[in-house]
Amino acid sequence: MDSDFGVQRELSDLQKHRSLYQPDLPPCLQGTTVRVEFGDATSTDSSGVHTVSRSFPHTYGQPLAHFLRATAQVRDAQIISEHPSIRVGIVFCGRQSPGGHNVVWGLHNALKAHNPNSTLFGFLGGSEGLFAQKTLEITDDVLSSYKNQGGYDLLGRTKDQIRTTEQVNAALATCNALNLDGLVIIGGVTSNTDAAQLAETFAEAKCRTKVVGVPVTLNGDLKNHFVETNVGFDTICKVNSQLISNVCTDALSAEKYYYFVRIMGRKASHVALECALQSHPNMVVLGEEVASSKLTLFDLTTQICDAVQARAEQDKNHGVIILPEGLIESIPEIYALLQEIHGLHRQGVSIDNISSQLSPWASALFDFLPPFIRKQLLLHPESDDSAQLSQVGELVIMIETEKLLAHLVETEMNKRLKEGTYKKKFNAICHFFGYQARGALPSKFDCDYAYVLGHICYHILAAGLNGYLATITNLKSPVNKWKCGAAPITAMMTVKRWARGPGATSIGKPCVHPAIVDLNGKAYELLRQNATKILMDDVYRNPGPLQYDGPGADAKAVSLCVEDQDYMGRIKKLQEYLDKVRNIVKPGCSQDVLKAALSAMSSVTDILSVMSTPSFTAQKPL
Amino acid sequence: MDSDFGVQRELSDLQKHRSLYQPDLPPCLQGTTVRVEFGDATSTDSSGVHTVSRSFPHTYGQPLAHFLRATAQVRDAQIISEHPSIRVGIVFCGRQSPGGHNVVWGLHNALKAHNPNSTLFGFLGGSEGLFAQKTLEITDDVLSSYKNQGGYDLLGRTKDQIRTTEQVNAALATCNALNLDGLVIIGGVTSNTDAAQLAETFAEAKCRTKVVGVPVTLNGDLKNHFVETNVGFDTICKVNSQLISNVCTDALSAEKYYYFVRIMGRKASHVALECALQSHPNMVVLGEEVASSKLTLFDLTTQICDAVQARAEQDKNHGVIILPEGLIESIPEIYALLQEIHGLHRQGVSIDNISSQLSPWASALFDFLPPFIRKQLLLHPESDDSAQLSQVGELVIMIETEKLLAHLVETEMNKRLKEGTYKKKFNAICHFFGYQARGALPSKFDCDYAYVLGHICYHILAAGLNGYLATITNLKSPVNKWKCGAAPITAMMTVKRWARGPGATSIGKPCVHPAIVDLNGKAYELLRQNATKILMDDVYRNPGPLQYDGPGADAKAVSLCVEDQDYMGRIKKLQEYLDKVRNIVKPGCSQDVLKAALSAMSSVTDILSVMSTPSFTAQKPL
């Protein structure tokens, strides 16, 4: 099998054309001299500071890093002028995301541009290759038919976690054996949590290998102050939006079907939200809305049925309803049922006996569900993930929520049909869009983003940093305005004090948690703005197939463009203000200037102190 | 509802760009003067001649028509110079196909270009609008946001058949009431059979409305001497190939899943074949192969299992298997079972009692099948199509063949796992690709093809022809080489003397039958050539998302390009030879020339007589 990795392969005409595409670098990374400016030491969300700093004594509190043009006039920024040859390993972790290959390419290019003797090793088959020291040396030849191509098939992947002591030790042994200067981990929230842990362990063990993470996940849920979006999210949303739009057109042409479409994307609903913004299906039910409003399965069914009925009254007997993969675990009573089932599994109760040992209310809910869902709820233990993962989270992705809701809505509509409040036959068709998007050719945006991130990985290693994530901000602007940097992964960690259900193993442990859709954010606001019109008037919008030339080729995700992020830009701006104040108010300045500065600063610090207390943060409306 | 048809709507950037795209016309249709050359009277497949000619006394045997440049030097070709204003109706029939809107646009443009007072009426909601005289007048305004767009939502559609006496009379009444000069029917094999019947009935009833058919069906099965491909087929194959390729990349990246993908396309396997040629999935099982080799469900399962095992021996535990929608009815014993169930339905046996009344062998097969398939087999009578349609054909499209085969393969692989002949766990993921492709933005090819066909419809009507299908040949060449013409639909009809199963109502009746994949054709040969390599070596190929600019935008279907069709071109060439012979061998020519001509012609006619006998045709290897 291994011999197949990295083989040259036949490409279609479009693939060939894409393989010749050369992403641009932002000005700061052009040439071979790059300045690094370090910001203040980072912190993390106030409630977790102590736990994170205790768990990561070597890697907590490191400063932000900004990569600047060699010519940039910045105080304290240092030029890294020595580029000894280095040895770096790279590994794909977790669900494949379009664009992943370009991180490898970007890193390889940067390595060779700075020192042709540097070497890049790809680990074969994901983390298993890392543990077993199975590598493929990355060369121009190896890369040639993988540039700007989808999938992770250059190197492959597996279940991919690096968490147990045994796994961490195996990784350490490999890095020592191969004498690596750097290890780059490509993945999402869990893989980057692993990367942070590995960095800490390596530092503790005085291993010279520095660990760098790259935010690559189609779920788009590795989002925080430092990370605006993830490699793969743009492509997945475009491909899914195309398919959703096609289904909308189909619904409108045939005028007799309701499509229930479940969208891959794990617990958070980012993909579903973005697809809805791009294609305007009649309804989208975000897991975050359901959780925040505590909607039951009954509420949800009624909501959809009422919409179907309202549309029928306008003689519209078709529609498209989008359901995120993670919706199911946001429904309170389903989640509680899953918890009970999970608990019984852990006690060793066999599948056949579980239903008889459920609590009365869980048993009633279980019996109410259609047989195929009952079966899926029980399939649970066949998932072979480690007990350290939130098994419910892993499992719910197997549950066909779209079929469950279609079934419940159909039952209710048939009831209304009999009662005479609804007149037509209700026809549902169910879809799950995931696998057919995940292997797609990456969009130009994802190609560029991943390629530049690959370059940044090199500069992080050249600067000798450990436990950092490569970051780019201002992504909604063209590539020449992108700001390149690096942030300690520990600064993205939070600690959950409580959690519903069996994900409890992560309670109290610092983790990079998946970001959920912000119901106060601009993207969600945009979705709600026209919700009624979109529900009733079929203002479907077809972004069309992903384009590489001509109009549409440079389109970016709506949710990326609408949010006003640039956290790192603002942090820099603040530093500039502080520097200016320091410059103006030097010993020797007038008493008046000093008094004005003191008064203003005292008021600023007062306000910020109040705003930073945990109780203030908690009062924010959800 | 009706008020929504043809409304202006919000378009995405790419949609807007596409709406501004103006397809070219081939040289013969440019300008407002077009010559029409008539060929010899048409015949049909020898065995059906008598039946067809008896059933279509007014419309059988009409000549082929070729549309030529006004300047073309062709004997007997006539220029149509008068263009009185005419009134034309147009209707979408059957499953929507990408590109359908452009037929309306092309026809509208041609009508207005030749006489601005001509009027085009679109019938709303398919054939139901035709019967109920519900129309929308087509104008530039109405068309503006539907040009080059997918779906049939400009006018809508329903189940769409025009077959019963009542339906035919309603159509006749509408055409008379609206005083139509022409009625254009957009659809596939059944709709064009209906169009031929309507043309005959109208001629008999001395109704002045001429009926014209247009080959628009995503199935690609309206294929014969005169028709090379159908509007929609190109787009569907490209969109599906993209998705199949994505799934292939996914399989190769994760290395643990087998994907079973069922592809929409009705009885014939054209779409599945074309998609396999474009994307190289490991296996594709064509219904035509199964029927021709009389493979049982057991054979088929074993074939797939052996392939899975052979791949496993090379450490490959993933793969992609394509199954056409029509496969299920090609499996002999399943079809026989469906026939029995269908027979019992017709006798009024209720669903609950059917299984107990099956013959012993059918009962044994039924019990062997997994419960979800048993349920789907029985769902049968809920299909609300007319008894005149082959109900089995209508019904099998509901059966989840991919899940059935995945289930059987999994069972067998688990058995082999226990026996030790297979080592890994077998994981299957099932997909049905249909609805998400059907509403797609049409490819450039489909936009051009449909637009030009729309123009041809006008010239057919201007030439006063009735019962013709608009045709374009030499489609694999650029638009400026396309040959435009028209062929009597009766010339495409055949008569089935026998048929398996309940499609029996069409036995003995002249019909345009769906063309099946030619197992002696070049496209199939191409598929088989590399079958082993493709099965074992994962030479997946990703045609990528459908492009409108740059490389790939002008790609055409592999099966279209590889076949050497141009039947109409050859018919014309033959006519030229015959004309030359007649010119050379005129009374007054030498005795030697005459003798040579007689000798050569006698030998040609002898050969052709032998080759044209039905027994000779029947001996052709399948």
Side-chain angles (χ1 to χ4, degrees), chain B residues 102-125:
Chain B
N102 270 25
V103 177
V104 181
W105 178 28
L107 174 55
H108 176 258
N109 260 25
L111 274 170
K112 295 291 182 182
H114 288 87
N115 191 323
N117 295 322
S118 289
T119 319
L120 180 61
F121 299 98
F123 288 105
L124 296 178

PDB file of all heavy atoms in Angstrom, chain B residues 102-125:
ATOM      1  N   ASN B 102     -33.073  26.720 -22.483  1.00  0.00           N
ATOM      2  CA  ASN B 102     -32.477  27.308 -23.687  1.00  0.00           C
ATOM      3  C   ASN B 102     -33.209  26.924 -24.966  1.00  0.00           C
ATOM      4  O   ASN B 102     -33.083  27.616 -25.975  1.00  0.00           O
ATOM      5  CB  ASN B 102     -30.994  26.930 -23.790  1.00  0.00           C
ATOM      6  CG  ASN B 102     -30.117  27.946 -23.085  1.00  0.00           C
ATOM      7  OD1 ASN B 102     -30.588  28.625 -22.176  1.00  0.00           O
ATOM      8  ND2 ASN B 102     -28.875  28.053 -23.495  1.00  0.00           N
ATOM      9  N   VAL B 103     -33.964  25.822 -24.931  1.00  0.00           N
ATOM     10  CA  VAL B 103     -34.782  25.488 -26.103  1.00  0.00           C
ATOM     11  C   VAL B 103     -35.840  26.577 -26.268  1.00  0.00           C
ATOM     12  O   VAL B 103     -36.090  27.077 -27.370  1.00  0.00           O
ATOM     13  CB  VAL B 103     -35.446  24.105 -25.947  1.00  0.00           C
ATOM     14  CG1 VAL B 103     -36.348  23.818 -27.144  1.00  0.00           C
ATOM     15  CG2 VAL B 103     -34.398  23.015 -25.784  1.00  0.00           C
ATOM     16  N   VAL B 104     -36.431  26.976 -25.136  1.00  0.00           N
ATOM     17  CA  VAL B 104     -37.459  28.017 -25.161  1.00  0.00           C
ATOM     18  C   VAL B 104     -36.851  29.323 -25.685  1.00  0.00           C
ATOM     19  O   VAL B 104     -37.413  29.995 -26.555  1.00  0.00           O
ATOM     20  CB  VAL B 104     -38.031  28.239 -23.742  1.00  0.00           C
ATOM     21  CG1 VAL B 104     -39.122  29.307 -23.770  1.00  0.00           C
ATOM     22  CG2 VAL B 104     -38.554  26.933 -23.161  1.00  0.00           C
ATOM     23  N   TRP B 105     -35.675  29.643 -25.173  1.00  0.00           N
ATOM     24  CA  TRP B 105     -34.995  30.879 -25.562  1.00  0.00           C
ATOM     25  C   TRP B 105     -34.665  30.868 -27.067  1.00  0.00           C
ATOM     26  O   TRP B 105     -34.925  31.835 -27.793  1.00  0.00           O
ATOM     27  CB  TRP B 105     -33.734  31.053 -24.709  1.00  0.00           C
ATOM     28  CG  TRP B 105     -32.891  32.246 -25.016  1.00  0.00           C
ATOM     29  CD1 TRP B 105     -33.305  33.439 -25.541  1.00  0.00           C
ATOM     30  CD2 TRP B 105     -31.476  32.368 -24.813  1.00  0.00           C
ATOM     31  NE1 TRP B 105     -32.226  34.288 -25.669  1.00  0.00           N
ATOM     32  CE2 TRP B 105     -31.097  33.661 -25.228  1.00  0.00           C
ATOM     33  CE3 TRP B 105     -30.505  31.511 -24.311  1.00  0.00           C
ATOM     34  CZ2 TRP B 105     -29.778  34.110 -25.167  1.00  0.00           C
ATOM     35  CZ3 TRP B 105     -29.192  31.957 -24.238  1.00  0.00           C
ATOM     36  CH2 TRP B 105     -28.838  33.248 -24.654  1.00  0.00           C
ATOM     37  N   GLY B 106     -34.070  29.755 -27.523  1.00  0.00           N
ATOM     38  CA  GLY B 106     -33.682  29.646 -28.932  1.00  0.00           C
ATOM     39  C   GLY B 106     -34.887  29.784 -29.850  1.00  0.00           C
ATOM     40  O   GLY B 106     -34.854  30.522 -30.847  1.00  0.00           O
ATOM     41  N   LEU B 107     -35.964  29.088 -29.491  1.00  0.00           N
ATOM     42  CA  LEU B 107     -37.177  29.148 -30.305  1.00  0.00           C
ATOM     43  C   LEU B 107     -37.727  30.576 -30.319  1.00  0.00           C
ATOM     44  O   LEU B 107     -38.111  31.106 -31.372  1.00  0.00           O
ATOM     45  CB  LEU B 107     -38.216  28.165 -29.759  1.00  0.00           C
ATOM     46  CG  LEU B 107     -39.602  28.210 -30.419  1.00  0.00           C
ATOM     47  CD1 LEU B 107     -39.515  28.018 -31.937  1.00  0.00           C
ATOM     48  CD2 LEU B 107     -40.516  27.147 -29.824  1.00  0.00           C
ATOM     49  N   HIS B 108     -37.747  31.197 -29.142  1.00  0.00           N
ATOM     50  CA  HIS B 108     -38.260  32.565 -29.044  1.00  0.00           C
ATOM     51  C   HIS B 108     -37.449  33.520 -29.910  1.00  0.00           C
ATOM     52  O   HIS B 108     -38.004  34.317 -30.673  1.00  0.00           O
ATOM     53  CB  HIS B 108     -38.238  33.023 -27.581  1.00  0.00           C
ATOM     54  CG  HIS B 108     -38.668  34.446 -27.391  1.00  0.00           C
ATOM     55  ND1 HIS B 108     -37.781  35.475 -27.190  1.00  0.00           N
ATOM     56  CD2 HIS B 108     -39.902  35.007 -27.404  1.00  0.00           C
ATOM     57  CE1 HIS B 108     -38.455  36.608 -27.075  1.00  0.00           C
ATOM     58  NE2 HIS B 108     -39.735  36.367 -27.194  1.00  0.00           N
ATOM     59  N   ASN B 109     -36.138  33.392 -29.847  1.00  0.00           N
ATOM     60  CA  ASN B 109     -35.269  34.255 -30.645  1.00  0.00           C
ATOM     61  C   ASN B 109     -35.497  34.067 -32.142  1.00  0.00           C
ATOM     62  O   ASN B 109     -35.550  35.038 -32.900  1.00  0.00           O
ATOM     63  CB  ASN B 109     -33.798  33.937 -30.339  1.00  0.00           C
ATOM     64  CG  ASN B 109     -33.231  34.939 -29.378  1.00  0.00           C
ATOM     65  OD1 ASN B 109     -33.982  35.537 -28.614  1.00  0.00           O
ATOM     66  ND2 ASN B 109     -31.922  35.121 -29.403  1.00  0.00           N
ATOM     67  N   ALA B 110     -35.610  32.810 -32.565  1.00  0.00           N
ATOM     68  CA  ALA B 110     -35.791  32.526 -33.992  1.00  0.00           C
ATOM     69  C   ALA B 110     -37.141  33.073 -34.468  1.00  0.00           C
ATOM     70  O   ALA B 110     -37.247  33.682 -35.532  1.00  0.00           O
ATOM     71  CB  ALA B 110     -35.703  31.023 -34.233  1.00  0.00           C
ATOM     72  N   LEU B 111     -38.164  32.866 -33.640  1.00  0.00           N
ATOM     73  CA  LEU B 111     -39.508  33.376 -33.988  1.00  0.00           C
ATOM     74  C   LEU B 111     -39.472  34.879 -34.209  1.00  0.00           C
ATOM     75  O   LEU B 111     -39.952  35.391 -35.229  1.00  0.00           O
ATOM     76  CB  LEU B 111     -40.482  33.080 -32.843  1.00  0.00           C
ATOM     77  CG  LEU B 111     -41.186  31.729 -32.803  1.00  0.00           C
ATOM     78  CD1 LEU B 111     -41.902  31.553 -31.472  1.00  0.00           C
ATOM     79  CD2 LEU B 111     -42.184  31.614 -33.960  1.00  0.00           C
ATOM     80  N   LYS B 112     -38.913  35.589 -33.236  1.00  0.00           N
ATOM     81  CA  LYS B 112     -38.910  37.052 -33.287  1.00  0.00           C
ATOM     82  C   LYS B 112     -37.991  37.577 -34.390  1.00  0.00           C
ATOM     83  O   LYS B 112     -38.262  38.625 -34.984  1.00  0.00           O
ATOM     84  CB  LYS B 112     -38.481  37.636 -31.932  1.00  0.00           C
ATOM     85  CG  LYS B 112     -39.468  37.317 -30.801  1.00  0.00           C
ATOM     86  CD  LYS B 112     -40.797  38.060 -30.981  1.00  0.00           C
ATOM     87  CE  LYS B 112     -41.749  37.759 -29.828  1.00  0.00           C
ATOM     88  NZ  LYS B 112     -43.065  38.406 -29.974  1.00  0.00           N
ATOM     89  N   ALA B 113     -36.901  36.845 -34.652  1.00  0.00           N
ATOM     90  CA  ALA B 113     -35.969  37.295 -35.690  1.00  0.00           C
ATOM     91  C   ALA B 113     -36.620  37.226 -37.068  1.00  0.00           C
ATOM     92  O   ALA B 113     -36.338  38.037 -37.943  1.00  0.00           O
ATOM     93  CB  ALA B 113     -34.705  36.439 -35.668  1.00  0.00           C
ATOM     94  N   HIS B 114     -37.516  36.263 -37.255  1.00  0.00           N
ATOM     95  CA  HIS B 114     -38.139  36.096 -38.569  1.00  0.00           C
ATOM     96  C   HIS B 114     -39.427  36.881 -38.714  1.00  0.00           C
ATOM     97  O   HIS B 114     -39.832  37.223 -39.820  1.00  0.00           O
ATOM     98  CB  HIS B 114     -38.362  34.608 -38.861  1.00  0.00           C
ATOM     99  CG  HIS B 114     -37.094  33.875 -39.147  1.00  0.00           C
ATOM    100  ND1 HIS B 114     -36.324  33.319 -38.151  1.00  0.00           N
ATOM    101  CD2 HIS B 114     -36.419  33.656 -40.309  1.00  0.00           C
ATOM    102  CE1 HIS B 114     -35.244  32.764 -38.690  1.00  0.00           C
ATOM    103  NE2 HIS B 114     -35.278  32.955 -39.991  1.00  0.00           N
ATOM    104  N   ASN B 115     -40.073  37.132 -37.605  1.00  0.00           N
ATOM    105  CA  ASN B 115     -41.268  37.984 -37.639  1.00  0.00           C
ATOM    106  C   ASN B 115     -41.597  38.437 -36.220  1.00  0.00           C
ATOM    107  O   ASN B 115     -42.052  37.632 -35.405  1.00  0.00           O
ATOM    108  CB  ASN B 115     -42.464  37.225 -38.244  1.00  0.00           C
ATOM    109  CG  ASN B 115     -43.615  38.172 -38.528  1.00  0.00           C
ATOM    110  OD1 ASN B 115     -43.868  39.105 -37.764  1.00  0.00           O
ATOM    111  ND2 ASN B 115     -44.316  37.937 -39.634  1.00  0.00           N
ATOM    112  N   PRO B 116     -41.382  39.713 -35.941  1.00  0.00           N
ATOM    113  CA  PRO B 116     -41.565  40.211 -34.571  1.00  0.00           C
ATOM    114  C   PRO B 116     -43.000  40.036 -34.073  1.00  0.00           C
ATOM    115  O   PRO B 116     -43.256  40.108 -32.867  1.00  0.00           O
ATOM    116  CB  PRO B 116     -41.228  41.704 -34.683  1.00  0.00           C
ATOM    117  CG  PRO B 116     -40.525  41.874 -35.978  1.00  0.00           C
ATOM    118  CD  PRO B 116     -40.963  40.775 -36.883  1.00  0.00           C
ATOM    119  N   ASN B 117     -43.933  39.781 -34.975  1.00  0.00           N
ATOM    120  CA  ASN B 117     -45.320  39.596 -34.530  1.00  0.00           C
ATOM    121  C   ASN B 117     -45.642  38.170 -34.116  1.00  0.00           C
ATOM    122  O   ASN B 117     -46.748  37.890 -33.665  1.00  0.00           O
ATOM    123  CB  ASN B 117     -46.279  40.025 -35.644  1.00  0.00           C
ATOM    124  CG  ASN B 117     -46.146  41.504 -35.918  1.00  0.00           C
ATOM    125  OD1 ASN B 117     -45.962  42.303 -34.993  1.00  0.00           O
ATOM    126  ND2 ASN B 117     -46.190  41.886 -37.196  1.00  0.00           N
ATOM    127  N   SER B 118     -44.713  37.276 -34.328  1.00  0.00           N
ATOM    128  CA  SER B 118     -44.958  35.896 -33.894  1.00  0.00           C
ATOM    129  C   SER B 118     -45.002  35.830 -32.378  1.00  0.00           C
ATOM    130  O   SER B 118     -44.407  36.665 -31.683  1.00  0.00           O
ATOM    131  CB  SER B 118     -43.850  34.979 -34.419  1.00  0.00           C
ATOM    132  OG  SER B 118     -43.971  34.826 -35.820  1.00  0.00           O
ATOM    133  N   THR B 119     -45.711  34.825 -31.876  1.00  0.00           N
ATOM    134  CA  THR B 119     -45.896  34.721 -30.428  1.00  0.00           C
ATOM    135  C   THR B 119     -45.542  33.328 -29.943  1.00  0.00           C
ATOM    136  O   THR B 119     -45.877  32.332 -30.600  1.00  0.00           O
ATOM    137  CB  THR B 119     -47.372  34.980 -30.050  1.00  0.00           C
ATOM    138  OG1 THR B 119     -47.852  36.069 -30.836  1.00  0.00           O
ATOM    139  CG2 THR B 119     -47.512  35.309 -28.578  1.00  0.00           C
ATOM    140  N   LEU B 120     -44.883  33.284 -28.782  1.00  0.00           N
ATOM    141  CA  LEU B 120     -44.570  31.989 -28.164  1.00  0.00           C
ATOM    142  C   LEU B 120     -45.256  31.895 -26.810  1.00  0.00           C
ATOM    143  O   LEU B 120     -45.120  32.771 -25.963  1.00  0.00           O
ATOM    144  CB  LEU B 120     -43.050  31.839 -27.992  1.00  0.00           C
ATOM    145  CG  LEU B 120     -42.575  30.533 -27.354  1.00  0.00           C
ATOM    146  CD1 LEU B 120     -42.985  29.313 -28.179  1.00  0.00           C
ATOM    147  CD2 LEU B 120     -41.052  30.538 -27.172  1.00  0.00           C
ATOM    148  N   PHE B 121     -46.033  30.822 -26.628  1.00  0.00           N
ATOM    149  CA  PHE B 121     -46.713  30.580 -25.355  1.00  0.00           C
ATOM    150  C   PHE B 121     -46.048  29.409 -24.648  1.00  0.00           C
ATOM    151  O   PHE B 121     -45.869  28.348 -25.246  1.00  0.00           O
ATOM    152  CB  PHE B 121     -48.180  30.216 -25.580  1.00  0.00           C
ATOM    153  CG  PHE B 121     -48.961  31.293 -26.270  1.00  0.00           C
ATOM    154  CD1 PHE B 121     -49.194  31.231 -27.640  1.00  0.00           C
ATOM    155  CD2 PHE B 121     -49.465  32.369 -25.551  1.00  0.00           C
ATOM    156  CE1 PHE B 121     -49.912  32.224 -28.287  1.00  0.00           C
ATOM    157  CE2 PHE B 121     -50.187  33.368 -26.193  1.00  0.00           C
ATOM    158  CZ  PHE B 121     -50.411  33.302 -27.566  1.00  0.00           C
ATOM    159  N   GLY B 122     -45.701  29.591 -23.390  1.00  0.00           N
ATOM    160  CA  GLY B 122     -45.216  28.476 -22.599  1.00  0.00           C
ATOM    161  C   GLY B 122     -46.384  27.907 -21.815  1.00  0.00           C
ATOM    162  O   GLY B 122     -47.145  28.659 -21.198  1.00  0.00           O
ATOM    163  N   PHE B 123     -46.534  26.586 -21.838  1.00  0.00           N
ATOM    164  CA  PHE B 123     -47.604  25.980 -21.034  1.00  0.00           C
ATOM    165  C   PHE B 123     -47.111  25.784 -19.604  1.00  0.00           C
ATOM    166  O   PHE B 123     -46.006  25.277 -19.389  1.00  0.00           O
ATOM    167  CB  PHE B 123     -48.055  24.653 -21.649  1.00  0.00           C
ATOM    168  CG  PHE B 123     -48.840  24.854 -22.913  1.00  0.00           C
ATOM    169  CD1 PHE B 123     -48.279  24.596 -24.154  1.00  0.00           C
ATOM    170  CD2 PHE B 123     -50.147  25.347 -22.847  1.00  0.00           C
ATOM    171  CE1 PHE B 123     -48.999  24.816 -25.319  1.00  0.00           C
ATOM    172  CE2 PHE B 123     -50.868  25.569 -24.007  1.00  0.00           C
ATOM    173  CZ  PHE B 123     -50.298  25.307 -25.251  1.00  0.00           C
ATOM    174  N   LEU B 124     -47.911  26.175 -18.650  1.00  0.00           N
ATOM    175  CA  LEU B 124     -47.495  26.174 -17.243  1.00  0.00           C
ATOM    176  C   LEU B 124     -47.767  24.834 -16.577  1.00  0.00           C
ATOM    177  O   LEU B 124     -48.873  24.297 -16.674  1.00  0.00           O
ATOM    178  CB  LEU B 124     -48.229  27.283 -16.486  1.00  0.00           C
ATOM    179  CG  LEU B 124     -47.894  28.703 -16.957  1.00  0.00           C
ATOM    180  CD1 LEU B 124     -48.709  29.733 -16.192  1.00  0.00           C
ATOM    181  CD2 LEU B 124     -46.402  28.965 -16.775  1.00  0.00           C
ATOM    182  N   GLY B 125     -46.739  24.319 -15.900  1.00  0.00           N
ATOM    183  CA  GLY B 125     -46.927  23.067 -15.166  1.00  0.00           C
ATOM    184  C   GLY B 125     -46.981  21.860 -16.078  1.00  0.00           C
ATOM    185  O   GLY B 125     -47.711  20.906 -15.802  1.00  0.00           O
TER     186      GLY B 125
END
